[in-house]
Amino acid sequence: MPDTPHPHDTTATTTRVGSTYRVQVRPGFDLDATAGLAGYLADLGVTHLYSAPLLTATPGSQHGYDVVDHRTVNPELGGEGGRQRLVRELRAAGLGLVVDIVPNHAGVARPAANPAWWDVLRRGRASAYADWFDIDWDRGRLLLPVLADTPDALDDLKVVDGELRYHEHRFPIADGTGDGAAREVHDQQHYELVNWRRGDTELTYRRFFAVSDLAGLRVEEPEVFRATHAEILRWVAAGDLDGIRVDHPDGLRDPAGYLARLRAAAPGAWLVVEKILEYGEELPDWPVDGTTGYDALPAAGGLFVDPDAEADFTALDGRLTGRHTSWADLTHDTKLAAATRLLAAELGRLAALVPELPAEQVRAALAELAACFPVYRGYPPEGARHLAAARAEAGRRRPDLTAVLDAVTARLRDPDHELAARFPQLSGAVMAKGVEDTAYYRWSRFVALNEVGGSPAHFGVPPAEFHRFAAARQVRWPAGMTTLSTHDTKRGEDVRARLAVLSELPGRWAERVADWMSRAPLADPALAHLLWQTAVGAWPIERERLHAYAEKAAREASASTSWADPDPAFEHELHALVDRLYDDPELHAQLTAFADEITPAGWSNSLGQKLVQLAMPGVPDTYQGTELWENSLVDPDNRRPVDFAVRRELLARLDTGWRPAVAADGAAKLLVVSRALRLRRDHPELFTAYRPVPAHGPAGAHAVAFDRGGAIAVATRLPLRLARAGGWGDTTLAISGNSVTDLFTGRVYSGSELLMHDLLSTYPVALLAPTDSVEAAA
């Protein structure tokens, strides 16, 4: 494969990051607790701790993406002293630090906690911070959607200690306006408190997606960039920070310009962006090291899904739901709903930029274009192609809007038109809310594919396709992150790996789930199918966790209930179904037996996809806790506390020479993770290229193997089909002929052809390295 660096390549000058371990630093697991992991992480083999945002967030925040003060480290995490102690412990253990930053938005749920927002509310356009936030001042007062959905909500306003109070909410009072009744004081402010439902329709500031508690920042303004990045860049300059993960760049007005400014300010930092690429989409030629790995996730996981099962699952979905819906039509409808309902306020702001045309027609045209836009947002030069595709599809669906679509599209093609700058911020939000947060919960054909960065319509990834993807990644983005689980994934990696087994027995699954759904029906069969798959994938799972997941999934789907308008009767029926999984002896026994039946093959898939992710081109990230079997579901389930004491103990046992069975408490996965990470850390020269390694023989299609320049990763795919076919037989793997050692078993092999049944007799995976390198490391 060619290894000439692409012109964007910054790896020669940026800090080398070998691998990362993601920790959700939060109140309850603060900076000092995180510092206590340094020794364990060094033993595990990672080179860098990758932390959740550390700047001061809304009090009590469990995630840190609602920053309220960019000048300080969150005191609830231990403040600046805690950060310095963390850096010292990491450096002492030979580790570096990567931190998540949030340039797109700030937390405004508690105005008093955010000094800049508080000053804007108090002083309006006269505030020194008025230009920090993306506010449409021309529409009048700043609308704050906090009131209850009752006509007399403002009657609960009070003036207390020189502030306006509405229940627990506190707001400032402008100078000279504090006299009179609470309603009179309110009417003189630069802001107006309104019904919370108006947040989606009449808001006067840009939000993060449809979250009114997160107000958009204007980091395209140099002074805002400087003020919101000064502390992070101080850490970089001091040598305390090696890498930066940029949250949600698609929300910015000018991501390319922002990233150029950030790269100039931190030229030596490893820089990755949370850019979600659609299937086949290329990352723009930005001055970054790559993405946060959502493009690698479906590629690695898809290897373990049988593409031949697609027709069976499509037929099953039709039988269970009583309808056949294409993914394209479903996502068009959910995106259109997101544009016209959840994001109606943002849509209206854009429509106002075309005042010479009828407002409702402009809104309809913009919504249709956003619903038809094939990627999150367009960037030059590919953006023109995506816009053309959206225009063609929008015209097909709405021929009545032809003239308006043409007029609007002409403005979107004009780089100097304000609409062209703002529409991409809408299209990205529409994709996220319409697909990730809605369609993924409605389309339950095969939920292992319903993952951030994936394409549920793309059923499995054959090895040849994966090899093409990995080889291209080695050339273009060798320092981009790879991942299988994050705080944003819909299901943990091991849940998806077990669900992948269903693709190997579609007939048996169809039989089982149809029987269960007939005996325990739900008014929404698509949701029921999603719930049964999730239960099988995560079983055994605590009852309260499955209840919480089922309710969130149902409300996100917005088909039978929703966040805005919960349906108590349907949700009662849904929770009753969840309880039946635990309380009905026969259902419980059948569910347990079926989960037990597919779990060994799921373990095989878990080890396989983990090795592929750790060894493929890129910088592998391990999400907290996933070095053992881990059955997390969607946030907040995937932020549960991790038992690091158990992991330390198991790692210490592995280092005595113990080789666990695959089923032994996940220790086999810890073996794979630690040995792969240590090899990458200690011998980076073995991971500088990419070449597929062919397997020859009757079961060759069940092997996926590649040579990274000396280190060879080997994994088993479709293990049930392999067993039904009689195993590996005389299938062989072609290698160089030099002596190699399997890092997982310690066995030494030589020769140009290895028998697969010998190589994979203990584990379904192998990691081969030149024996002299392994001996030198030992």
Side-chain angles (χ1 to χ4, degrees):
M1 293 300 302
D3 57 4
T4 303
H6 190 271
H8 75 259
D9 184 41
T10 57
T11 55
T13 57
T14 59
T15 299
R16 181 186 173 273
V17 176
S19 61
T20 58
Y21 188 97
R22 170 71 170 192
V23 176
Q24 290 295 124
V25 186
R26 64 188 188 281
F29 199 90
D30 61 10
L31 289 161
D32 286 313
T34 303
L37 298 179
Y40 166 69
L41 296 183
D43 290 342
L44 188 63
V46 301
T47 67
H48 286 72
L49 169 73
Y50 162 30
S51 168
L54 298 182
L55 297 179
T56 300
T58 301
S61 174
Q62 293 297 304
H63 49 76
Y65 290 93
D66 46 355
V67 176
V68 295
D69 192 339
H70 294 83
R71 301 169 298 178
T72 57
V73 178
N74 194 342
E76 294 186 333
L77 304 180
E80 174 63 9
R83 186 194 69 83
Q84 293 181 5
R85 290 189 293 273
L86 171 65
V87 170
R88 285 197 297 270
E89 289 298 317
L90 292 176
R91 294 297 188 240
L95 301 176
L97 178 62
V98 174
V99 168
D100 205 341
I101 66 169
V102 192
N104 177 68
H105 51 268
V108 296
R110 295 176 62 174
N114 188 324
W117 186 251
W118 183 266
D119 197 72
V120 169
L121 297 185
R122 182 185 174 199
R123 303 179 188 276
R125 298 182 83 159
S127 169
Y129 305 99
D131 290 336
W132 274 41
F133 302 95
D134 195 353
I135 299 169
D136 187 0
W137 290 107
D138 292 337
R139 292 181 58 193
R141 292 202 288 168
L142 180 57
L143 302 184
L144 304 181
V146 299
L147 299 181
D149 187 20
T150 58
D152 57 351
L154 281 173
D155 291 347
D156 292 330
L157 272 180
K158 295 179 174 61
V159 176
V160 180
D161 295 334
E163 299 174 351
L164 266 179
R165 303 282 178 88
Y166 177 73
H167 300 293
E168 74 277 15
H169 300 285
R170 298 168 51 200
F171 303 96
I173 294 175
D175 294 345
T177 65
D179 295 332
R183 289 282 294 269
E184 295 172 332
V185 171
H186 167 262
D187 291 343
Q188 298 180 71
Q189 302 311 308
H190 299 285
Y191 57 85
E192 179 184 357
L193 307 185
V194 298
N195 187 314
W196 67 269
R197 290 185 181 274
R198 288 177 62 184
D200 292 338
T201 58
E202 299 180 56
L203 212 62
T204 49
Y205 61 92
R206 180 174 62 84
R207 305 169 290 175
F208 169 71
F209 297 157
V211 183
S212 298
D213 288 342
L214 298 174
L217 288 169
R218 300 181 66 225
V219 292
E220 65 272 13
E221 297 296 328
E223 64 273 18
V224 180
F225 177 92
R226 285 193 294 269
T228 55
H229 289 68
E231 183 66 4
I232 294 291
L233 294 175
R234 183 179 72 82
W235 304 346
V236 173
D240 293 345
L241 188 59
D242 303 303
I244 298 173
R245 183 261 196 193
V246 178
D247 182 69
H248 189 48
D250 275 347
L252 303 177
R253 180 185 177 94
D254 178 18
Y258 165 80
L259 292 168
R261 183 178 286 121
L262 182 60
R263 171 57 77 198
W270 181 62
L271 190 58
V272 290
V273 289
E274 189 208 19
K275 168 61 183 167
I276 300 172
L277 301 168
E278 287 297 281
Y279 182 77
E281 183 186 3
E282 292 285 343
L283 181 66
D285 194 26
W286 290 336
V288 300
D289 292 286
T291 73
T292 53
Y294 285 126
D295 48 336
L297 185 156
L303 277 168
F304 303 89
V305 173
D306 188 350
D308 292 344
E310 181 172 14
D312 291 317
F313 275 87
T314 300
L316 173 63
D317 182 65
R319 291 197 301 273
L320 294 178
T321 64
R323 62 181 185 273
H324 291 279
T325 304
S326 74
W327 175 246
D329 286 340
L330 172 64
T331 55
H332 169 270
D333 292 349
T334 54
K335 289 170 69 178
L336 188 64
T340 56
R341 298 174 192 171
L342 290 175
L343 299 164
E346 287 76 8
L347 182 66
R349 185 174 183 180
L350 266 62
L353 298 173
V354 192
E356 66 273 22
L357 296 175
E360 285 307 309
Q361 290 187 27
V362 175
R363 289 172 65 95
L366 287 169
E368 196 64 51
L369 287 168
C372 296
F373 214 79
V375 296
Y376 278 73
R377 62 178 285 175
Y379 293 97
E382 289 298 305
R385 179 171 63 85
H386 296 315
L387 178 58
R391 167 61 187 88
E393 179 63 10
R396 186 186 72 81
R397 291 180 179 271
R398 290 294 305 271
D400 58 306
L401 291 176
T402 296
V404 181
L405 284 168
D406 285 341
V408 168
T409 303
R411 288 159 178 78
L412 293 175
R413 291 194 179 111
D414 179 358
D416 296 325
H417 200 287
E418 182 71 3
L419 186 65
R422 288 194 175 275
F423 178 77
Q425 294 174 300
L426 174 70
S427 69
V430 166
M431 179 73 84
K433 295 306 297 180
V435 179
E436 286 177 49
D437 293 344
T438 306
Y440 277 2
Y441 293 94
R442 289 191 193 177
W443 177 268
S444 54
R445 179 179 70 163
F446 184 63
V447 300
L449 304 176
N450 295 16
E451 197 50 85
V452 183
S455 172
H458 191 74
F459 206 100
V461 177
E465 182 180 329
F466 173 81
H467 289 314
R468 288 193 298 271
F469 169 83
R473 185 183 180 90
Q474 173 64 26
V475 173
R476 289 214 66 199
W477 303 104
M481 184 181 281
T482 68
T483 190
L484 288 178
S485 297
T486 77
H487 61 284
D488 283 328
T489 44
K490 304 301 183 184
R491 290 167 192 79
E493 61 199 58
D494 295 329
V495 176
R496 297 194 307 272
R498 190 193 294 178
L499 287 174
V501 180
L502 300 182
S503 70
E504 296 192 69
L505 34 82
R508 178 155 169 68
W509 172 247
E511 196 176 275
R512 283 283 71 202
V513 74
D515 177 57
W516 291 337
M517 287 175 62
S518 67
R519 292 165 52 195
L522 185 69
D524 185 338
L527 182 68
H529 193 202
L530 176 144
L531 180 59
W532 282 107
Q533 289 177 78
T534 301
V536 163
W539 202 260
I541 179 174
E542 296 86 346
R543 185 193 299 244
E544 63 274 12
R545 289 176 55 207
L546 193 55
H547 272 295
Y549 172 80
E551 183 172 291
K552 177 169 182 173
R555 291 184 178 183
E556 294 280 44
S558 297
S560 299
T561 186
S562 67
W563 293 109
D565 294 294
D567 185 321
F570 176 80
E571 292 189 3
H572 176 78
E573 180 187 0
L574 176 65
H575 287 295
L577 171 59
V578 172
D579 281 331
R580 283 199 63 179
L581 270 58
Y582 297 88
D583 298 336
D584 184 316
E586 187 174 0
L587 273 179
H588 186 274
Q590 289 184 359
L591 178 58
T592 301
F594 187 85
D596 289 346
E597 177 186 336
I598 65 172
T599 291
W603 284 331
S604 177
N605 290 342
S606 291
L607 296 181
Q609 70 174 4
K610 195 64 184 174
L611 176 61
V612 168
Q613 180 246 333
L614 293 173
M616 69 186 289
V619 175
D621 176 57
T622 300
Y623 185 72
Q624 60 177 33
T626 60
E627 62 269 39
L628 296 186
W629 305 136
E630 216 279 331
N631 70 341
S632 284
L633 301 175
V634 74
D635 169 74
D637 192 67
N638 56 26
R639 300 182 198 269
R640 289 172 297 119
V642 175
D643 190 336
F644 286 106
V646 167
R647 287 159 174 79
R648 283 192 181 94
E649 179 184 345
L650 286 174
L651 185 59
R653 287 187 66 194
L654 290 174
D655 288 341
T656 67
W658 172 57
R659 291 297 176 263
V662 170
D665 300 323
K669 190 179 183 188
L670 182 61
L671 175 69
V672 169
V673 172
S674 60
R675 273 44 184 178
L677 291 178
R678 289 176 183 180
L679 185 65
R680 291 197 68 140
R681 177 192 64 193
D682 299 338
H683 291 283
E685 75 277 3
L686 301 179
F687 294 86
T688 57
Y690 187 88
R691 178 180 65 86
V693 177
H696 302 290
H702 290 277
V704 57
F706 49 85
D707 185 341
R708 290 298 322 281
I712 300 174
V714 187
T716 303
R717 59 187 299 269
L718 311 184
L720 290 187
R721 283 183 55 178
L722 176 64
R724 290 197 295 264
W728 291 109
D730 59 0
T731 304
T732 60
L733 190 74
I735 63 170
S736 64
N738 297 324
S739 176
V740 294
T741 297
D742 179 11
L743 275 291
F744 305 145
T745 63
R747 295 183 192 137
V748 178
Y749 300 90
S750 59
S752 58
E753 297 282 338
L754 304 184
L755 285 169
M756 291 293 290
H757 72 78
D758 182 32
L759 180 63
L760 303 183
S761 60
T762 301
Y763 301 115
V765 293
L767 179 59
L768 306 175
T771 299
D772 54 357
S773 296
V774 176
E775 290 174 346

